[in-house]
Structure formats: structure tokens, C-alpha cells
């Protein structure tokens, strides 16, 4: 085996020999407000948890270091990660954990946690590159009583150099919008260079995305108006992963408020890609619609910044 591997084995033995860290006390005792926020987030309504018992899966929550806290240099997981970073295994893809619960925690109890390095196994050839699996064990206690434990495993790998860029993605693979009798007018419009907004012929309300029934007056008599295609960026995101068929990443996707419908309630907003560098983009930027012809059947709207 290589010199790097020998060093990793040696360093692993050293960190393992440190054993369990000293217990680190949770910032706060188990509390009902934090339990309630967690229940809301996962839509759990078990009445036991609104009355002083903590869901066991919250074990790790109580000892999180917080936004500004750190695990400290003596933490075995940090040490193992640093060792692998310096050997070139800099990337993390998946993690998995197995938790074991001994009993329910109760409001008012203050938990402590210890960490121990179980193993660093490798090198393994994985789909993303060569890597090592790091396993640590956390044990949560109240006083000396063990209440929960967790085996945590993470793959640290050496990213493969990127393949040279090909001549571009195969655009015939682009995911196509679903077309039906409610949306056909919109896609017929994009092929003609028109950004069409559905309009209720009964009450005049504008709406997007299009649908069969007016949400306000429930009429099914629908038409459309053609927008100028000018608007401002209301919000946007930059999509880096996962890969999208037929697309080159990153893709910037913006929600645009159309200028003439800004007063409409609800305002009419459109989602589409934006051309150019996302680094230069800001909320409020003026844009105008342009057309991205994929093939004879499909033309997608795309925003062009006009600043
Ligand atoms: Zn209507």
C-alpha cells in the first residue's frame, strides 16, 4: 500500500486510541418550544410530544453546537476529516447514521454528548472516486445514564478530474412541458414570439399558470392577452445539481413580475431561465423575454437582463 495509506492507518490508530471525548454539555436543557418547532417542521402531532416528552429522533438536536459554535480541535470526527483533507480526500458525498434510543428525554433534562472514532476504512473505489469511510460513534447521556447513541458514517473521497467539455449537451433530451387544452395557447404563443397571459373572459382577471377555471368567479370562459414581456426579477435561484437532461449547468431560474400586471391581485409572475452570469444578477433587475427555440415543436421563454 502507498505511503499516504500508511499515514492514514497510523493516524486513524492514534485518533481511535484517544477513545471517547470528554462529555460536552448541551447549550440548553430539553425544552418544549424547540420540540414544538420540530413537530411543526415534520408535521408530527403525537400528543405525547406536546406534553413534556421529546421525540427520540431529536437526540442530536440538543447538542448541536449552534451557528457559531465549533466542535473543537480535539473532536475525533474533525481530526479524521482534517487528516483525509490533507491527503487529498477533500469531498463528501453521502452520510448515513444509525441511531439507538434507550428512553424518551423529558423537558428540563440536560443532555451531554461524547464522540469516538470507530474506524476509517479504505481505500475504496466508489462511483465518484477513491475514498475512505469514516465512522464515529456519538453517545448521549443524562448524568451517567445513556439515553441514545448514533453510528455516523461519511465517505470522504478524492474528486476525479473533470472530463473535458464536450461540444455541449444534447438539447433533444430537454424535459418538455406538459401540454394540454389549458396550456396549448401558451406554447403556441411562445412559437410566435408572444408571451400570453390567461384572462378570464367573464371577470377579466389575469392568471398564470393557466388553468381551466377562474379561481375568482369560477367561470370557464377563458382567453388571453399578450404581455409586453418586460418585467423585473422578483426572485431567482441558481441550479447546480443534480444534472438536468439536455442542459448545461448551472442554470439560473427566475420568477419575474410582469410590468403591466404588477397591480393585479395576485400579481402575474412567470418562471423561466435567465441568460448570463448569475453572479451579476440581483432581485429587481429589469428583464425582457426572449425565445429559446429548442426544435420545431418547442420554444421556451428565457429572460434577458436589460440593465
Ligand atoms: Zn373570472
Amino acid at each position: 500500500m502507498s505511503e499516504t495509506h500508511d499515514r492514514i492507518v497510523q493516524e486513524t490508530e492514534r485518533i481511535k486510541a484517544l477513545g471517547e471525548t470528554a462529555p460536552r454539555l448541551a447549550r440548553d436543557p430539553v425544552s418544549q418550544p424547540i420540540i414544538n418547532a420540530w413537530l411543526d417542521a415534520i408535521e408530527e402531532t403525537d400528543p405525547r410530544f406536546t406534553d413534556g416528552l421529546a421525540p427520540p429522533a431529536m437526540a442530536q438536536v440538543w447538542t448541536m453546537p449552534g451557528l457559531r459554535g465549533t466542535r473543537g480541535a480535539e473532536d475525533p470526527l474533525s481530526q479524521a476529516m482534517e487528516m483525509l483533507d490533507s491527503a487529498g480526500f477533500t469531498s463528501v458525498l453521502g452520510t448515513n447514521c444509525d441511531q439507538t434510543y434507550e428512553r424518551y428525554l423529558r423537558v428540563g433534562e440536560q443532555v451531554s454528548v461524547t464522540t469516538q472514532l470507530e474506524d476509517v476504512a479504505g481505500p475504496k473505489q466508489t462511483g465518484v472516486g477513491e475514498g475512505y469511510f469514516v465512522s464515529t460513534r456519538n453517545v448521549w447521556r443524562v448524568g451517567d445514564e445513556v439515553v441514545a447513541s448514533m453510528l455516523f458514517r461519511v465517505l470522504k473521497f478524492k474528486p476525479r478530474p473533470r472530463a473535458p467539455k464536450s461540444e455541449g449537451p444534447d438539447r433533444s433530451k430537454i424535459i418538455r412541458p406538459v401540454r394540454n387544452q389549458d396550456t396549448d395557447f401558451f406554447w403556441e404563443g411562445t412559437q410566435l414570439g408572444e408571451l400570453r397571459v390567461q384572462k378570464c373572459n367573464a371577470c377579466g382577471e389575469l392568471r398564470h399558470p393557466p388553468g381551466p377555471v377562474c379561481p375568482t368567479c369560477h367561470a370557464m370562459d377563458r382567453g388571453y392577452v399578450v404581455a409586453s414581456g418586460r418585467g423585473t426579477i422578483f426572485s431567482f435561484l441558481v441550479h447546480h445539481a443534480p444534472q438536468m437532461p439536455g442542459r448545461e449547468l448551472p442554470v439560473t431560474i427566475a420568477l419575474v413580475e410582469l410590468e403591466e400586471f404588477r397591480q393585479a391581485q395576485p400579481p402575474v409572475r412567470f418562471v423561466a431561465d435567465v441568460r448570463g452570469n448569475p453572479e451579476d444578477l440581483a432581485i429587481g433587475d429589469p428583464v425582457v423575454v426572449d425565445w429559446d427555440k429548442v426544435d420545431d415543436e418547442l420554444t421556451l421563454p428565457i429572460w434577458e437582463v436589460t440593465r
Side-chain angles (χ1 to χ4, degrees), residues 180 182-186 196-198 207-213 270:
N180 57 36
D182 296 324
T183 58
D184 263 344
F185 79 96
F186 180 82
R196 295 175 174 178
V197 182
Q198 197 173 48
R207 57 183 192 256
H208 185 82
V213 179
F270 272 85

Side-chain angles (χ1 to χ4, degrees), residues 10 14 20 23 35 49 80 84 162 177 185 189 208 229 279:
Q10 249 176 36
R14 184 191 69 77
E20 214 176 0
I35 295 173
F49 303 137
L84 289 167
R162 277 175 192 267
F185 79 96
H208 185 82
E279 301 283 317

Side-chain angles (χ1 to χ4, degrees), residues 199-205 207 213-219 221:
K199 182 184 175 198
C200 172
N201 284 339
C203 75
E205 189 171 281
R207 57 183 192 256
V213 179
C214 173
T216 302
C217 77
H218 305 134
D221 180 11

Side-chain angles (χ1 to χ4, degrees), residues 28-31 103-111 142 145 147:
D28 301 298
V30 173
S31 70
R103 71 157 170 87
Y104 290 100
L105 283 165
R106 283 179 289 271
V107 166
E109 289 183 311
Q110 196 154 6
V111 188
V142 173
E145 182 192 4
V147 290

Side-chain angles (χ1 to χ4, degrees), residues 128-265:
V128 289
E130 188 182 70
Y132 285 82
F133 288 94
V134 179
S135 310
T136 54
R137 181 172 299 279
N138 286 96
V139 178
W140 287 275
R141 293 181 176 86
V142 173
D144 292 331
E145 182 192 4
V146 174
V147 290
S149 60
M150 172 172 79
L151 186 67
F152 177 76
R153 209 161 73 116
V154 55
L155 170 65
K156 283 283 276 178
F157 67 96
K158 199 178 269 190
R160 286 213 189 94
R162 277 175 192 267
K165 272 208 171 137
S166 63
E167 56 277 19
D170 175 1
R171 303 231 319 150
S172 70
K173 300 245 161 57
I174 282 182
I175 298 172
R176 306 180 79 85
V178 177
R179 282 180 69 154
N180 57 36
Q181 56 183 358
D182 296 324
T183 58
D184 263 344
F185 79 96
F186 180 82
W187 297 110
E188 282 158 12
T190 62
Q191 282 181 282
L192 299 169
E194 289 183 0
L195 190 66
R196 295 175 174 178
V197 182
Q198 197 173 48
K199 182 184 175 198
C200 172
N201 284 339
C203 75
E205 189 171 281
L206 299 166
R207 57 183 192 256
H208 185 82
V213 179
C214 173
T216 302
C217 77
H218 305 134
M220 297 180 76
D221 180 11
R222 53 205 188 266
Y224 66 85
V225 294
V226 178
S228 70
R230 298 194 166 275
T232 49
I233 293 194
F234 183 79
S235 184
F236 69 96
L237 60 83
V238 184
H239 178 92
H240 293 274
Q243 194 54 252
M244 295 159 78
R247 308 296 297 269
E248 194 163 349
L249 298 183
V251 172
T252 308
I253 301 161
L255 183 61
V256 165
E257 200 158 74
L258 296 176
E259 60 178 8
E260 58 267 71
F261 308 125
R262 207 165 290 155
Q263 302 311 322
Q265 267 321 316

